Amino acid sequence: MGSEIWVVAEHRGGQLRRPTLEALGAARQLATAAGAAVAAVVLGKNAGGLAAELGTHGAARVLWVDEENLDVYSSGGYTHALTELARAHKPLAIVFAASSQARDFAPRLAARLDTGLLPDCIELGWDAASGRVSAKRFINSGKALATVQVKTSPALVTTRPKAFAPAGADGAGAETVKCDLKVDAAQCYGKVKEYEQPAATKVELTEADVVVSGGRGMKGPAEFAVLEELAQVLGAAIGASRAAVDAGWREHAAQVGQTGKVVTPKLYIACGISGAIQHLVGMTNSKIIVAINKDADAPLMKLADYAVVGDLFQLVPALTQEFKRVLEK
Amino acid sequence: MKIAVCIKQVPDTSAALKVKPDGSGVDTEGLEFVISPYDEYGLEEALRTKEKLATGEVVVVGLGPERVAKALRSGLAMGADRAVHLADAAFDGSDAIATARALAAALKKAGPFDLVWAGKEATDDGMSTVGAALAEFLGIPHASEVKKAELSADKTSITCWSEVEGGTAVVEVKLPAVLTAQKGLNEPRYASLKGIMMAKKKELATYTPADLGLSAEQVGKGGSRSEVLKVEPPPKKQTNTKLIKDLEPDAAAKELVRLLREEAKVI
């Protein structure tokens, strides 16, 4: 059995994506419990530059694959490369940030390695007696919490955004190991041709520290402008309730709740959202919840840490001005 | 074109859930079950493709206890041509990977298929695993969380627009392939009365592990590399709601910002 916990670095445009540091934080906890070392894996072409940053954040080794056909992400390319590496080095566990990319290839990897996969975990555990990795994860959209164990190694786990503190920059630096392996184009199963990104630099909903959400009380699509102004001042992402999405006011990518996204920001500001169960399951674990609503009896007003009763079209602009004033100081 | 759609039957998403006192799982007693919403998007897309090409077949495939036949009948009522039910106690306790292995074997037997749809995740276990693992067991490409798909003119590949953090990824995959459906793909139809009547006469085949050439070590708990140790109610957040009311908007905003900075310390 190996003695390393691996983290697979997710990067785009030469930049490490922030949730990777959270996965690294989780891996460090698990490694401490298991008496193992932390190693990071970087797959790509000319992506070796990320090794230093991973070392600073606690990876003792960085396994680096430089391969033409890993120039852009593909589920087949990543699965092939990680299978080769895992078979050669036999890590105890492989940790990834739960992202669209991890959801895309981790199941393939688990199937190919014939091992267990625990996605979207909020807590990791180690059973010393059995040498098994376990994890806590929400099921039924947060209506229940399951503890699940992987019976084989490497255990594959993905970490829910914001559930783990990012690894601090207190690492001693990593030994970089260049791994030679080949990936054929046919093994990639189709590469990403392009990323279509909105013109404005948008904060990713699941990764944002602050989320400003609107519901039925927004009355229409144009009215979201008041939330956008507030979001801009706070560097926040914009969310929406299912009612607002189904009405066509916001795109589905903004939906918070069941059949949408689960968010756990430090601050969640709900505007004109009454708080149907299907919305609550998507945001109930936010650290601080603010609800702004005309109806003091709305369910979300009872769940909120701060409930402001009033007209959101007056309150939100006032809030934007006040935040602007104090944050500019 | 032959299209398979994997559907999972899940508790009605609007239902409140209770956890069994012994911590072994969710108490399903008295719960209403439905087709997992994301699977419905996949089924709708499959039906639209068949209608557009004016030829082909749509087959719904599901794994689980007897009640799953009802979900498959709902799929037939929406317009699928036939159904396959992996129905045997030996399948009980399959984790997502074991489920994908069994579904792959069933698709080989009932197929071959040019295209396979599955939901991007089931709303009960939320694993987001079966679709991509299924593609792996079938040895074919896949695309995840697809919100738009366009078949090439020669029908040998499909271009998929997938939701990713901060935008959309565009991937072209060769057929046969597995696609997992994201909300936004389409608006699923309701079954018509005629559809419901016709569904009763459509073929619903049942498969056991033996029919699929799968051993006890490949299905159910024996075929699973993960196991659920405990299911408990979610932790309850303790909140002492502070109500801000009867203030002018400016004063309310001032007070809220002060509390967020000084008391909650989140800004």
Side-chain angles (χ1 to χ4, degrees), chain B residues 140-157:
Chain B
I140 60 175
H142 80 276
S144 303
E145 303 179 14
V146 175
K147 53 183 187 180
K148 184 176 135 194
E150 250 173 43
L151 200 59
S152 67
D154 63 2
K155 302 186 200 69
T156 60
S157 70

Side-chain angles (χ1 to χ4, degrees), chain B:
Chain B
M1 202 171 197
K2 284 179 77 166
I3 309 173
V5 182
C6 299
I7 62 180
K8 185 176 186 187
Q9 194 189 41
V10 298
D12 183 353
T13 53
S14 59
L17 292 184
K18 273 196 305 219
V19 167
K20 286 187 201 160
D22 66 358
S24 63
V26 168
D27 187 357
T28 54
E29 189 71 38
L31 282 181
E32 282 286 323
F33 285 89
V34 298
I35 297 176
S36 180
Y38 297 106
D39 301 344
E40 276 193 335
Y41 302 125
L43 176 54
E44 176 63 32
E45 201 66 12
L47 294 172
R48 287 186 191 187
T49 302
K50 184 190 152 185
E51 286 158 5
K52 200 168 153 198
L53 300 176
T55 174
E57 187 187 31
V58 174
V59 181
V60 283
V61 184
L63 180 150
E66 210 168 303
R67 58 174 160 76
V68 172
K70 197 180 152 207
L72 292 168
R73 287 278 174 216
S74 303
L76 293 172
M78 277 173 72
D81 300 291
R82 60 186 170 101
V84 170
H85 185 184
L86 288 77
D88 194 288
F91 291 119
D92 291 355
S94 297
D95 70 359
I97 299 289
T99 299
R101 186 187 294 117
L103 287 172
L107 292 179
K108 279 183 190 160
K109 188 175 162 72
F113 292 98
D114 304 294
L115 186 59
V116 181
W117 278 101
K120 66 138 186 152
E121 68 173 275
T123 52
D124 54 357
D125 291 335
M127 292 284 286
S128 305
T129 295
V130 170
L134 176 61
E136 176 64 20
F137 285 118
L138 292 170
I140 60 175
H142 80 276
S144 303
E145 303 179 14
V146 175
K147 53 183 187 180
K148 184 176 135 194
E150 250 173 43
L151 200 59
S152 67
D154 63 2
K155 302 186 200 69
T156 60
S157 70
I158 192 158
T159 300
C160 300
W161 284 258
S162 298
E163 195 176 306
V164 299
E165 291 78 9
T168 303
V170 188
V171 191
E172 186 182 355
V173 292
K174 289 228 174 324
L175 297 182
V178 177
L179 307 183
T180 74
Q182 170 65 294
K183 186 175 174 183
L185 185 62
N186 53 45
E187 204 50 64
R189 70 194 66 189
Y190 289 100
S192 63
L193 191 59
K194 189 176 160 219
I196 294 167
M197 296 310 290
M198 278 167 65
K200 292 177 184 164
K201 296 193 191 107
K202 288 177 180 170
E203 177 192 324
L204 195 161
T206 56
Y207 291 172
T208 64
D211 293 335
L212 301 174
L214 295 171
S215 67
E217 289 75 42
Q218 292 172 297
V219 296
K221 283 193 172 147
S224 299
R225 306 291 172 256
S226 65
E227 63 181 334
V228 176
L229 300 181
K230 188 171 70 175
V231 174
E232 58 196 313
K236 262 229 156 23
K237 195 181 163 183
Q238 288 297 324
T239 38
N240 286 312
T241 304
K242 230 171 224 171
L243 203 61
I244 301 171
K245 59 171 189 176
D246 304 329
L247 289 177
E248 287 300 308
D250 287 347
K254 251 194 169 57
E255 174 63 0
L256 178 61
V257 171
R258 185 190 71 77
L259 288 165
L260 290 175
R261 283 164 66 84
E262 293 172 13
E263 189 180 80
K265 296 190 169 66
V266 286
I267 290 291

Side-chain angles (χ1 to χ4, degrees), chain A residues 24-35:
Chain A
L24 203 48
R28 287 175 73 176
Q29 286 176 20
L30 186 60
T32 303

